[in-house]
Amino acid sequence: MGQAFFTLGLGVGSIQIFGSYMSRNYTIGYEAVTITLLDTTVAVLAGFIIFPACFSYAVEPGSGPGLIFVTLVSVFSNMEYGSVWAESSFIHALAAISTLIAVFEILLPSQWKSLR
């Protein structure tokens, strides 16, 4: 449920920002279905990776939202060139944060007007 609410909350801002740049060749409905399918696919694939890794490295699978961070430390530390893959994962997380900053673009102009 947390993943669904996070995705929907982030999606509202994303739709407003990135929808203004969308080509007329695509519809909002098509994009919504595509994003829903891709997000669900990524979440299921992450589950296929994380839960077997939990059992392999004796990590408690019911430890909550931080499960991926606990498990990935074990996976990367036991992997050949694990530090390289861990750094690559961190760089991708920074790319996601830059997208989050773009989503906040919609809030800034209204805040600036109220400060004047």
mmCIF file with all atom_site columns, all heavy atoms in Angstrom, residues 58-75:
data_model
loop_
_atom_site.group_PDB
_atom_site.id
_atom_site.type_symbol
_atom_site.label_atom_id
_atom_site.label_alt_id
_atom_site.label_comp_id
_atom_site.label_asym_id
_atom_site.label_entity_id
_atom_site.label_seq_id
_atom_site.pdbx_PDB_ins_code
_atom_site.Cartn_x
_atom_site.Cartn_y
_atom_site.Cartn_z
_atom_site.occupancy
_atom_site.B_iso_or_equiv
_atom_site.pdbx_formal_charge
_atom_site.auth_seq_id
_atom_site.auth_comp_id
_atom_site.auth_asym_id
_atom_site.auth_atom_id
_atom_site.pdbx_PDB_model_num
ATOM 1   N N   . ALA A 1 58 ? 19.904 -14.650 5.408  1.00 0.00 ? 58 ALA A N   1
ATOM 2   C CA  . ALA A 1 58 ? 19.306 -14.721 6.750  1.00 0.00 ? 58 ALA A CA  1
ATOM 3   C C   . ALA A 1 58 ? 18.840 -13.351 7.255  1.00 0.00 ? 58 ALA A C   1
ATOM 4   O O   . ALA A 1 58 ? 19.061 -12.986 8.400  1.00 0.00 ? 58 ALA A O   1
ATOM 5   C CB  . ALA A 1 58 ? 20.263 -15.360 7.743  1.00 0.00 ? 58 ALA A CB  1
ATOM 6   N N   . VAL A 1 59 ? 18.196 -12.605 6.385  1.00 0.00 ? 59 VAL A N   1
ATOM 7   C CA  . VAL A 1 59 ? 17.596 -11.327 6.761  1.00 0.00 ? 59 VAL A CA  1
ATOM 8   C C   . VAL A 1 59 ? 16.108 -11.569 6.973  1.00 0.00 ? 59 VAL A C   1
ATOM 9   O O   . VAL A 1 59 ? 15.470 -12.274 6.192  1.00 0.00 ? 59 VAL A O   1
ATOM 10  C CB  . VAL A 1 59 ? 17.821 -10.264 5.652  1.00 0.00 ? 59 VAL A CB  1
ATOM 11  C CG1 . VAL A 1 59 ? 17.109 -8.972  5.987  1.00 0.00 ? 59 VAL A CG1 1
ATOM 12  C CG2 . VAL A 1 59 ? 19.298 -10.030 5.428  1.00 0.00 ? 59 VAL A CG2 1
ATOM 13  N N   . GLU A 1 60 ? 15.555 -11.000 8.037  1.00 0.00 ? 60 GLU A N   1
ATOM 14  C CA  . GLU A 1 60 ? 14.138 -11.177 8.341  1.00 0.00 ? 60 GLU A CA  1
ATOM 15  C C   . GLU A 1 60 ? 13.287 -10.473 7.280  1.00 0.00 ? 60 GLU A C   1
ATOM 16  O O   . GLU A 1 60 ? 13.345 -9.254  7.145  1.00 0.00 ? 60 GLU A O   1
ATOM 17  C CB  . GLU A 1 60 ? 13.834 -10.595 9.725  1.00 0.00 ? 60 GLU A CB  1
ATOM 18  C CG  . GLU A 1 60 ? 12.379 -10.642 10.120 1.00 0.00 ? 60 GLU A CG  1
ATOM 19  C CD  . GLU A 1 60 ? 11.838 -12.051 10.222 1.00 0.00 ? 60 GLU A CD  1
ATOM 20  O OE1 . GLU A 1 60 ? 12.589 -12.946 10.648 1.00 0.00 ? 60 GLU A OE1 1
ATOM 21  O OE2 . GLU A 1 60 ? 10.669 -12.254 9.855  1.00 0.00 ? 60 GLU A OE2 1
ATOM 22  N N   . PRO A 1 61 ? 12.474 -11.225 6.496  1.00 0.00 ? 61 PRO A N   1
ATOM 23  C CA  . PRO A 1 61 ? 11.705 -10.608 5.408  1.00 0.00 ? 61 PRO A CA  1
ATOM 24  C C   . PRO A 1 61 ? 10.573 -9.696  5.878  1.00 0.00 ? 61 PRO A C   1
ATOM 25  O O   . PRO A 1 61 ? 10.074 -8.896  5.105  1.00 0.00 ? 61 PRO A O   1
ATOM 26  C CB  . PRO A 1 61 ? 11.156 -11.793 4.616  1.00 0.00 ? 61 PRO A CB  1
ATOM 27  C CG  . PRO A 1 61 ? 11.308 -12.975 5.469  1.00 0.00 ? 61 PRO A CG  1
ATOM 28  C CD  . PRO A 1 61 ? 12.339 -12.671 6.498  1.00 0.00 ? 61 PRO A CD  1
ATOM 29  N N   . GLY A 1 62 ? 10.186 -9.762  7.135  1.00 0.00 ? 62 GLY A N   1
ATOM 30  C CA  . GLY A 1 62 ? 9.106  -8.918  7.632  1.00 0.00 ? 62 GLY A CA  1
ATOM 31  C C   . GLY A 1 62 ? 9.603  -7.656  8.311  1.00 0.00 ? 62 GLY A C   1
ATOM 32  O O   . GLY A 1 62 ? 8.885  -7.063  9.110  1.00 0.00 ? 62 GLY A O   1
ATOM 33  N N   . SER A 1 63 ? 10.805 -7.210  7.976  1.00 0.00 ? 63 SER A N   1
ATOM 34  C CA  . SER A 1 63 ? 11.380 -6.064  8.695  1.00 0.00 ? 63 SER A CA  1
ATOM 35  C C   . SER A 1 63 ? 10.890 -4.709  8.190  1.00 0.00 ? 63 SER A C   1
ATOM 36  O O   . SER A 1 63 ? 11.368 -3.686  8.641  1.00 0.00 ? 63 SER A O   1
ATOM 37  C CB  . SER A 1 63 ? 12.907 -6.123  8.645  1.00 0.00 ? 63 SER A CB  1
ATOM 38  O OG  . SER A 1 63 ? 13.381 -6.033  7.336  1.00 0.00 ? 63 SER A OG  1
ATOM 39  N N   . GLY A 1 64 ? 9.981  -4.678  7.248  1.00 0.00 ? 64 GLY A N   1
ATOM 40  C CA  . GLY A 1 64 ? 9.340  -3.430  6.850  1.00 0.00 ? 64 GLY A CA  1
ATOM 41  C C   . GLY A 1 64 ? 9.976  -2.726  5.676  1.00 0.00 ? 64 GLY A C   1
ATOM 42  O O   . GLY A 1 64 ? 10.710 -3.329  4.889  1.00 0.00 ? 64 GLY A O   1
ATOM 43  N N   . PRO A 1 65 ? 9.701  -1.417  5.554  1.00 0.00 ? 65 PRO A N   1
ATOM 44  C CA  . PRO A 1 65 ? 10.158 -0.660  4.386  1.00 0.00 ? 65 PRO A CA  1
ATOM 45  C C   . PRO A 1 65 ? 11.671 -0.608  4.211  1.00 0.00 ? 65 PRO A C   1
ATOM 46  O O   . PRO A 1 65 ? 12.156 -0.451  3.112  1.00 0.00 ? 65 PRO A O   1
ATOM 47  C CB  . PRO A 1 65 ? 9.614  0.752   4.630  1.00 0.00 ? 65 PRO A CB  1
ATOM 48  C CG  . PRO A 1 65 ? 8.502  0.584   5.583  1.00 0.00 ? 65 PRO A CG  1
ATOM 49  C CD  . PRO A 1 65 ? 8.848  -0.603  6.426  1.00 0.00 ? 65 PRO A CD  1
ATOM 50  N N   . GLY A 1 66 ? 12.435 -0.738  5.288  1.00 0.00 ? 66 GLY A N   1
ATOM 51  C CA  . GLY A 1 66 ? 13.890 -0.702  5.187  1.00 0.00 ? 66 GLY A CA  1
ATOM 52  C C   . GLY A 1 66 ? 14.505 -2.002  4.721  1.00 0.00 ? 66 GLY A C   1
ATOM 53  O O   . GLY A 1 66 ? 15.730 -2.131  4.651  1.00 0.00 ? 66 GLY A O   1
ATOM 54  N N   . LEU A 1 67 ? 13.668 -2.965  4.386  1.00 0.00 ? 67 LEU A N   1
ATOM 55  C CA  . LEU A 1 67 ? 14.146 -4.292  3.999  1.00 0.00 ? 67 LEU A CA  1
ATOM 56  C C   . LEU A 1 67 ? 15.111 -4.248  2.823  1.00 0.00 ? 67 LEU A C   1
ATOM 57  O O   . LEU A 1 67 ? 16.151 -4.912  2.828  1.00 0.00 ? 67 LEU A O   1
ATOM 58  C CB  . LEU A 1 67 ? 12.954 -5.192  3.652  1.00 0.00 ? 67 LEU A CB  1
ATOM 59  C CG  . LEU A 1 67 ? 13.269 -6.597  3.154  1.00 0.00 ? 67 LEU A CG  1
ATOM 60  C CD1 . LEU A 1 67 ? 13.913 -7.404  4.263  1.00 0.00 ? 67 LEU A CD1 1
ATOM 61  C CD2 . LEU A 1 67 ? 12.006 -7.282  2.684  1.00 0.00 ? 67 LEU A CD2 1
ATOM 62  N N   . ILE A 1 68 ? 14.825 -3.448  1.840  1.00 0.00 ? 68 ILE A N   1
ATOM 63  C CA  . ILE A 1 68 ? 15.678 -3.396  0.657  1.00 0.00 ? 68 ILE A CA  1
ATOM 64  C C   . ILE A 1 68 ? 17.072 -2.871  1.003  1.00 0.00 ? 68 ILE A C   1
ATOM 65  O O   . ILE A 1 68 ? 18.077 -3.342  0.481  1.00 0.00 ? 68 ILE A O   1
ATOM 66  C CB  . ILE A 1 68 ? 15.035 -2.573  -0.473 1.00 0.00 ? 68 ILE A CB  1
ATOM 67  C CG1 . ILE A 1 68 ? 15.810 -2.770  -1.768 1.00 0.00 ? 68 ILE A CG1 1
ATOM 68  C CG2 . ILE A 1 68 ? 14.947 -1.111  -0.121 1.00 0.00 ? 68 ILE A CG2 1
ATOM 69  C CD1 . ILE A 1 68 ? 15.082 -2.287  -2.989 1.00 0.00 ? 68 ILE A CD1 1
ATOM 70  N N   . PHE A 1 69 ? 17.148 -1.923  1.936  1.00 0.00 ? 69 PHE A N   1
ATOM 71  C CA  . PHE A 1 69 ? 18.441 -1.352  2.287  1.00 0.00 ? 69 PHE A CA  1
ATOM 72  C C   . PHE A 1 69 ? 19.284 -2.333  3.094  1.00 0.00 ? 69 PHE A C   1
ATOM 73  O O   . PHE A 1 69 ? 20.504 -2.380  2.944  1.00 0.00 ? 69 PHE A O   1
ATOM 74  C CB  . PHE A 1 69 ? 18.253 -0.039  3.046  1.00 0.00 ? 69 PHE A CB  1
ATOM 75  C CG  . PHE A 1 69 ? 17.510 0.987   2.244  1.00 0.00 ? 69 PHE A CG  1
ATOM 76  C CD1 . PHE A 1 69 ? 16.212 1.324   2.561  1.00 0.00 ? 69 PHE A CD1 1
ATOM 77  C CD2 . PHE A 1 69 ? 18.102 1.587   1.152  1.00 0.00 ? 69 PHE A CD2 1
ATOM 78  C CE1 . PHE A 1 69 ? 15.512 2.258   1.813  1.00 0.00 ? 69 PHE A CE1 1
ATOM 79  C CE2 . PHE A 1 69 ? 17.415 2.519   0.385  1.00 0.00 ? 69 PHE A CE2 1
ATOM 80  C CZ  . PHE A 1 69 ? 16.122 2.854   0.724  1.00 0.00 ? 69 PHE A CZ  1
ATOM 81  N N   . VAL A 1 70 ? 18.651 -3.112  3.941  1.00 0.00 ? 70 VAL A N   1
ATOM 82  C CA  . VAL A 1 70 ? 19.373 -4.125  4.713  1.00 0.00 ? 70 VAL A CA  1
ATOM 83  C C   . VAL A 1 70 ? 19.834 -5.250  3.799  1.00 0.00 ? 70 VAL A C   1
ATOM 84  O O   . VAL A 1 70 ? 20.968 -5.722  3.874  1.00 0.00 ? 70 VAL A O   1
ATOM 85  C CB  . VAL A 1 70 ? 18.475 -4.668  5.847  1.00 0.00 ? 70 VAL A CB  1
ATOM 86  C CG1 . VAL A 1 70 ? 19.138 -5.817  6.561  1.00 0.00 ? 70 VAL A CG1 1
ATOM 87  C CG2 . VAL A 1 70 ? 18.109 -3.567  6.809  1.00 0.00 ? 70 VAL A CG2 1
ATOM 88  N N   . THR A 1 71 ? 18.964 -5.677  2.909  1.00 0.00 ? 71 THR A N   1
ATOM 89  C CA  . THR A 1 71 ? 19.273 -6.800  2.032  1.00 0.00 ? 71 THR A CA  1
ATOM 90  C C   . THR A 1 71 ? 20.327 -6.441  0.993  1.00 0.00 ? 71 THR A C   1
ATOM 91  O O   . THR A 1 71 ? 21.231 -7.227  0.722  1.00 0.00 ? 71 THR A O   1
ATOM 92  C CB  . THR A 1 71 ? 17.989 -7.283  1.329  1.00 0.00 ? 71 THR A CB  1
ATOM 93  O OG1 . THR A 1 71 ? 16.995 -7.546  2.311  1.00 0.00 ? 71 THR A OG1 1
ATOM 94  C CG2 . THR A 1 71 ? 18.243 -8.540  0.530  1.00 0.00 ? 71 THR A CG2 1
ATOM 95  N N   . LEU A 1 72 ? 20.228 -5.259  0.410  1.00 0.00 ? 72 LEU A N   1
ATOM 96  C CA  . LEU A 1 72 ? 21.187 -4.881  -0.631 1.00 0.00 ? 72 LEU A CA  1
ATOM 97  C C   . LEU A 1 72 ? 22.610 -4.748  -0.111 1.00 0.00 ? 72 LEU A C   1
ATOM 98  O O   . LEU A 1 72 ? 23.565 -5.001  -0.842 1.00 0.00 ? 72 LEU A O   1
ATOM 99  C CB  . LEU A 1 72 ? 20.750 -3.590  -1.313 1.00 0.00 ? 72 LEU A CB  1
ATOM 100 C CG  . LEU A 1 72 ? 19.600 -3.752  -2.296 1.00 0.00 ? 72 LEU A CG  1
ATOM 101 C CD1 . LEU A 1 72 ? 19.238 -2.415  -2.913 1.00 0.00 ? 72 LEU A CD1 1
ATOM 102 C CD2 . LEU A 1 72 ? 19.925 -4.753  -3.372 1.00 0.00 ? 72 LEU A CD2 1
ATOM 103 N N   . VAL A 1 73 ? 22.772 -4.385  1.163  1.00 0.00 ? 73 VAL A N   1
ATOM 104 C CA  . VAL A 1 73 ? 24.115 -4.347  1.747  1.00 0.00 ? 73 VAL A CA  1
ATOM 105 C C   . VAL A 1 73 ? 24.727 -5.739  1.721  1.00 0.00 ? 73 VAL A C   1
ATOM 106 O O   . VAL A 1 73 ? 25.887 -5.919  1.332  1.00 0.00 ? 73 VAL A O   1
ATOM 107 C CB  . VAL A 1 73 ? 24.066 -3.786  3.188  1.00 0.00 ? 73 VAL A CB  1
ATOM 108 C CG1 . VAL A 1 73 ? 25.394 -3.979  3.887  1.00 0.00 ? 73 VAL A CG1 1
ATOM 109 C CG2 . VAL A 1 73 ? 23.662 -2.336  3.179  1.00 0.00 ? 73 VAL A CG2 1
ATOM 110 N N   . SER A 1 74 ? 23.930 -6.744  2.086  1.00 0.00 ? 74 SER A N   1
ATOM 111 C CA  . SER A 1 74 ? 24.428 -8.124  2.060  1.00 0.00 ? 74 SER A CA  1
ATOM 112 C C   . SER A 1 74 ? 24.716 -8.588  0.640  1.00 0.00 ? 74 SER A C   1
ATOM 113 O O   . SER A 1 74 ? 25.723 -9.242  0.388  1.00 0.00 ? 74 SER A O   1
ATOM 114 C CB  . SER A 1 74 ? 23.402 -9.070  2.697  1.00 0.00 ? 74 SER A CB  1
ATOM 115 O OG  . SER A 1 74 ? 23.172 -8.712  4.026  1.00 0.00 ? 74 SER A OG  1
ATOM 116 N N   . VAL A 1 75 ? 23.837 -8.243  -0.285 1.00 0.00 ? 75 VAL A N   1
ATOM 117 C CA  . VAL A 1 75 ? 24.011 -8.663  -1.675 1.00 0.00 ? 75 VAL A CA  1
ATOM 118 C C   . VAL A 1 75 ? 25.257 -8.028  -2.279 1.00 0.00 ? 75 VAL A C   1
ATOM 119 O O   . VAL A 1 75 ? 26.096 -8.719  -2.873 1.00 0.00 ? 75 VAL A O   1
ATOM 120 C CB  . VAL A 1 75 ? 22.757 -8.311  -2.513 1.00 0.00 ? 75 VAL A CB  1
ATOM 121 C CG1 . VAL A 1 75 ? 23.007 -8.513  -3.990 1.00 0.00 ? 75 VAL A CG1 1
ATOM 122 C CG2 . VAL A 1 75 ? 21.573 -9.145  -2.060 1.00 0.00 ? 75 VAL A CG2 1
#
